[in-house]
Amino acid sequence: MDVINAFIVGGLICVIGQILMDATKLTPAHVLVFFVTSGAVLSGIGLYQPLVDIGKAGATIPLTGFGHNLVTGVIQDVDEYGLLGVFTGGLRAAAGGITAAIVFGYLMAVIFNPKPK
Amino acid sequence: MSIKKLGSQTIRFENPPSIIGTASIVGPKEGQGQFKDYYDLILSDNIYAESSWEKAEKKILKEAIEIAIKNADLTTPKIDYLIAGDLLNQIISAGFAARELEIPFLGIYGACSTLAEGVTLGSIIVDGGFAENLVAAVSSHFCTAERQFRFPLELGNQRSPTSQWTVTGAGAMVLSSKQQNPRVTLATTGKVIDMGESDSNNMGAAMAPAAIDTIIRHFQDTGKTPDDYDLIVTGDLGSLGKEITEELLKQKGYNISNKYADCGVLIYYPEQDVHAGGSGCACSAVVTCGYIFKEMLKGQYNKVLLIATGALLSTTSSQQGETIPCIAHAISLENL
Amino acid sequence: MSAFTKEQKDYQKLVKQKRPKPPMLKNIIAAFAVGGTICAIGQVILNFFVSRGMTPEQAGAPTSIIMIFLGALLTGLGVYDKIGKFAGAGSVVPITGFANSIVSPAMEFKREGYVFGVAAKMFVIAGPVLVYGINSATIIGLIYYLIKL
């Protein structure tokens, strides 16, 4: 059941991205920036958590989930450490993902070469 | 008043320079297109045993120049000038190829119109008696152009339906004062035209107005009509640009439909998944140096008007939201 | 060029009317199917960690790490761009697409060296994502802090 929900919610989030790319001239880079920012904002006003409750990975795997993750971390740390938490919470929560992206990204880039098309 | 000038933008060569040898080299994808039998060399891969794509592009340009000189029965010391250009920043393919060739070098940039620009300048030099033989050459490479102008190859993005595929290849042409066919008889130099298109994935539509302007100017300056040509061929407008050009020319009273082709449309088969067609300096160059030149030698075509088109944008101008200025140069190739 | 002439406007209208549209419906279905599948795979991985005793919150981080690894690996193998050509946003929006956006430029600029090539180009697309993600989270955190006072 979880898996089906993840499929549907994740699929729908991607459809929004597709409509944005086809209907406007936004590049993938713009879409990614838009999604991470929207995720953060929706999370901030309390609308993203319900989506995560329904879709689970379907809401956390899309890049909106990354924005949500950053905001959740910031809010937790603000609760715990006050103003300092504004600066520490986001990257603490996203540390795993960011480190993985840098480490695996570097590794793969060093090992492999682009294939001529 | 110049005695060689016709109208406002065209020149007629008094001693029309001869094209005495050409060469065309293409990548594997182009080698699957309908002109595969016309190319001098088809690469089996895009890297051509080099350590980078830029080096590969330089190598095919250099080899195309050498093959063209050989096909013209000449040797490098007999070549007075090399006029060459490509798409990369600071035209490095041309400059680096010239480093190894020891021919006096004039580097030019006209984006995808570069070959026609080179042939125009070369013909002026030869007709003016400043050189006996010279080479006009250009190159482009899908992988080098893509990383400079667009996205990394392995980025998982979708190409726009109006996008075009940069041709991997190089074309070179030896122009000479010798008296033999085919000749370069007329050249109409285009003005930079910008109709406000800003989508760098829709070059064909951006460049079509430049092609239209130059074609009309050519007919007005020379008093010729489309009937005076066997083939009217644009450089790399692609399917959308070609359609627009044909339609707008018809509206202005020039019906070229029965003899009009576009190198970008011709170079690949539609099923090769290139969207609107081919582009790049090499697009018009390999079709001209391969197919058109060889068919002219056979007498299949005797009067060809080539209008090579170029989009004079850069990634910087695009990112700053500028529209795309475009150019088109026409040259008449004739068997006299 | 800010103000277009009538001739330019007419031409732009003509281009707009003639330009082929992207196959919207097909793209949407492909984005839904592939994006959904990637998320479903993420859910399977998440469920695995939960079954090994983690809470769903704890399982989020290792799931992201594995998905990023897969996205980076498929990019290196030259598969991810093929998925992307079919799936469009379906493979751009998931975190695997973020990994793709890091590996693809880094790999391609290896010949420009390991500092200005690989390392600098890794962040051509990922950099803006981090910048806007972290900045927006910080602003939201600050607002939350001020409201709480």
Side-chain angles (χ1 to χ4, degrees):
Chain A
M1 193 58 211
D2 280 354
V3 176
I4 295 169
N5 283 356
F7 179 84
I8 294 170
V9 171
L12 288 176
I13 293 174
C14 292
V15 166
I16 297 170
Q18 187 66 40
I19 293 171
L20 275 176
M21 290 203 305
D22 281 352
T24 68
K25 284 175 190 167
L26 292 181
T27 65
H30 288 100
V31 170
L32 288 180
V33 168
F34 175 77
F35 268 70
V36 73
T37 313
S38 326
V41 171
L42 289 175
S43 175
I45 56 178
L47 292 180
Y48 206 80
Q49 189 57 45
L51 201 60
V52 175
D53 294 338
I54 306 166
K56 307 246 168 56
T60 56
I61 296 291
L63 223 58
T64 39
F66 183 61
H68 169 67
N69 192 13
L70 289 166
V71 168
T72 318
V74 166
I75 288 176
Q76 276 172 3
D77 274 25
V78 169
D79 285 340
E80 208 162 322
Y81 310 108
L83 188 57
L84 182 64
V86 172
F87 292 92
T88 58
L91 285 185
R92 182 191 51 74
I98 293 175
T99 305
I102 293 174
V103 172
F104 296 139
Y106 187 83
L107 199 67
M108 298 303 172
V110 169
I111 297 173
F112 294 105
N113 287 313
K115 315 276 171 299
K117 304 289 159 217
Chain B
M1 183 68 196
S2 164
I3 51 161
K4 294 182 183 180
K5 197 153 172 219
L6 294 177
S8 57
Q9 285 167 239
T10 305
I11 44 179
R12 178 166 49 206
F13 299 109
E14 225 175 359
N15 312 297
S18 308
I19 303 168
I20 59 168
T22 66
S24 52
I25 299 180
V26 296
K29 193 180 181 91
E30 294 70 26
Q32 290 163 7
Q34 60 171 324
F35 295 141
K36 54 178 173 288
D37 299 328
Y38 292 91
Y39 303 127
D40 293 86
L41 179 64
I42 297 171
L43 308 183
S44 57
D45 61 56
N46 272 332
I47 192 92
Y48 203 20
E50 286 290 326
S51 60
S52 77
W53 292 314
E54 285 75 12
K55 287 181 184 162
E57 181 177 342
K58 179 219 73 185
K59 186 169 166 187
I60 56 174
L61 178 58
K62 175 179 163 265
E63 291 191 3
I65 294 165
E66 287 170 339
I67 297 171
I69 295 171
K70 206 176 110 221
N71 288 346
D73 280 327
L74 292 172
T75 53
T76 338
K78 296 266 184 218
I79 305 296
D80 300 309
Y81 291 101
L82 167 64
I83 304 175
D86 59 273
L87 291 178
L88 301 185
N89 294 336
Q90 287 77 42
I91 52 168
I92 51 172
S93 309
F96 283 53
R99 177 172 72 180
E100 293 165 29
L101 286 165
E102 299 192 349
I103 305 172
F105 169 60
L106 296 167
I108 56 171
Y109 185 80
C112 311
S113 73
T114 306
L115 184 77
E117 182 179 351
V119 171
T120 301
L121 293 170
S123 299
I124 292 171
I125 293 172
V126 171
D127 182 33
F130 301 105
E132 255 173 64
N133 307 296
L134 58 79
V135 176
V138 299
S139 66
S140 56
H141 192 299
F142 176 75
C143 301
T144 61
E146 201 69 7
R147 72 203 292 251
Q148 179 175 307
F149 289 101
R150 298 188 187 92
F151 296 110
L153 297 181
E154 300 292 345
L155 187 70
N157 60 325
Q158 281 172 327
R159 301 172 70 85
S160 151
T162 52
S163 68
Q164 290 172 252
W165 192 275
T166 305
V167 169
T168 299
M173 205 179 252
V174 182
L175 298 175
S176 167
S177 55
K178 277 183 197 150
Q179 308 279 312
Q180 69 184 64
N181 282 330
R183 313 285 194 100
V184 183
T185 53
L186 297 159
T188 305
T189 300
K191 289 184 291 203
V192 175
I193 306 272
D194 186 338
M195 291 302 272
E197 177 63 52
S198 58
D199 182 0
S200 60
N201 284 309
N202 195 3
M203 297 290 203
M207 296 189 296
I212 294 165
D213 190 74
T214 300
I215 292 171
I216 293 176
R217 181 52 53 200
H218 178 81
F219 289 138
Q220 287 178 350
D221 284 350
T222 59
K224 284 183 185 281
T225 68
D227 295 334
D228 291 318
Y229 288 102
D230 310 327
L231 176 68
I232 296 174
V233 59
T234 46
D236 58 348
L237 294 179
S239 45
L240 178 60
K242 177 174 186 260
E243 186 188 329
I244 292 172
T245 303
E246 214 169 317
E247 186 177 315
L248 293 184
L249 276 174
K250 199 175 275 176
Q251 278 177 22
K252 295 189 176 167
Y254 297 93
N255 186 352
I256 57 169
S257 304
N258 57 346
K259 57 189 60 169
Y260 175 45
D262 180 73
C263 300
V265 174
L266 294 174
I267 190 162
Y268 301 110
Y269 288 117
E271 57 271 23
Q272 283 183 282
D273 193 28
V274 291
H275 300 263
S279 67
C281 299
C283 183
S284 61
V286 298
V287 173
T288 307
C289 296
Y291 173 71
I292 294 174
F293 174 73
K294 287 175 187 173
E295 289 300 322
M296 286 192 81
L297 283 184
K298 287 187 215 158
Q300 190 68 31
Y301 296 122
N302 291 309
K303 289 168 177 166
V304 176
L305 182 66
L306 169 71
I307 307 99
T309 43
L312 303 174
L313 81 172
S314 79
T315 48
T316 308
S317 72
S318 281
Q319 281 168 0
Q320 292 179 354
E322 278 271 12
T323 53
I324 306 172
C326 296
I327 185 107
H329 299 304
I331 48 174
S332 293
L333 308 177
E334 290 183 66
N335 285 332
L336 296 178
Chain C
M1 280 213 225
S2 46
F4 291 121
T5 63
K6 182 174 181 306
E7 200 191 354
Q8 286 176 317
K9 280 189 197 140
D10 287 347
Y11 182 72
Q12 286 160 26
K13 215 179 286 166
L14 174 82
V15 172
K16 209 166 178 184
Q17 166 210 329
K18 285 207 172 280
R19 69 178 301 154
K21 304 280 172 294
M24 200 96 162
L25 187 67
K26 184 199 143 270
N27 283 356
I28 285 175
I29 293 170
F32 181 74
V34 175
T37 305
I38 292 172
C39 294
I41 293 168
Q43 188 65 45
V44 169
I45 296 169
L46 189 100
N47 287 350
F48 169 78
F49 285 115
V50 171
S51 75
R52 303 299 293 265
M54 285 187 179
T55 67
E57 284 71 32
Q58 289 169 328
T63 305
S64 297
I65 291 170
I66 290 181
M67 294 305 283
I68 286 168
F69 174 78
L70 291 175
L73 180 67
L74 290 175
T75 304
L77 293 173
V79 176
Y80 207 86
D81 69 309
K82 297 195 175 69
I83 301 173
K85 200 168 144 41
F86 170 73
S91 58
V92 170
V93 170
I95 198 142
T96 45
F98 181 64
N100 171 249
S101 80
I102 291 178
V103 179
S104 57
M107 190 157 71
E108 188 149 324
F109 282 82
K110 206 188 295 182
R111 288 164 193 134
E112 281 77 1
Y114 285 88
V115 174
F116 289 117
V118 178
K121 294 289 178 185
M122 280 170 80
F123 295 99
V124 168
I125 297 172
V129 170
L130 291 175
V131 168
Y132 285 101
I134 292 169
N135 282 348
S136 48
T138 306
I139 292 167
I140 290 161
L142 195 62
I143 295 170
Y144 175 75
Y145 171 76
L146 293 173
I147 292 172
K148 252 185 53 167
L149 280 179

